[in-house]
Amino acid sequence: RRVAGFASHHRAHRIICDATGVGDPVTDQLRAECPGVGVEGFVFTPSSKADLIESLAWAFERGMIRLLPDPDLVRELEHFEGKGTARGRVVYGAVGGYHDDLVCALALAFSTLGHSRAVGVAGRER
């Protein structure tokens, strides 16, 4: 109800909701409580999370995004990292004892702006 109230107050046109695991019923509930608002579920997987986070990092590196100094978000960003796996992938998340909800929300919000990056051979941008 808080999200629906916030969306109504700010005249939201779109809501992206974590639909991973138990999030799917929440997505359905938001659809019911927010008529006229496009409610989309987003399922976090190691791959989808990596894509989101790498796009957000790309935006920070290019100065495309600036933040107000929100202490909770800054703390999460400071305690967020990528770790290489034995299979050569990178898994992103908060270090022990911290959360990454705000980092993921920021990455989702940035992704809705339509910015993307195209990566070609050897990781070079196109």
Side-chain angles (χ1 to χ4, degrees):
R1 288 192 175 108
R2 285 180 43 200
V3 172
F6 183 88
S8 175
H9 177 76
H10 292 282
R11 298 183 187 132
H13 298 282
R14 186 174 180 198
I15 297 172
I16 299 179
C17 181
D18 181 356
T20 310
V22 297
D24 212 17
V26 175
T27 304
D28 292 338
Q29 184 179 5
L30 279 171
R31 284 185 183 120
E33 291 190 25
C34 300
V37 176
V39 178
E40 302 171 34
F42 183 89
V43 177
F44 281 93
T45 65
S47 178
S48 68
K49 188 173 185 178
D51 289 344
L52 278 178
I53 297 304
E54 289 168 7
S55 289
L56 182 63
W58 177 80
F60 274 122
E61 289 170 4
R62 280 149 187 80
M64 296 173 65
I65 188 169
R66 294 188 339 205
L67 303 174
L68 296 173
D70 178 78
D72 295 325
L73 176 57
V74 170
R75 185 180 317 102
E76 282 194 15
L77 287 165
E78 289 173 341
H79 294 94
F80 191 86
E81 67 181 15
K83 287 187 178 182
T85 68
R87 295 184 180 198
R89 296 183 181 194
V90 178
V91 177
Y92 294 96
V95 296
Y98 290 91
H99 301 279
D100 65 1
D101 297 335
L102 297 175
V103 174
C104 291
L106 178 62
L108 280 171
F110 180 75
S111 75
T112 66
L113 297 175
H115 297 291
S116 65
R117 61 189 179 103
V119 179
V121 179
R124 290 186 302 249
E125 292 174 38
R126 292 192 257 177

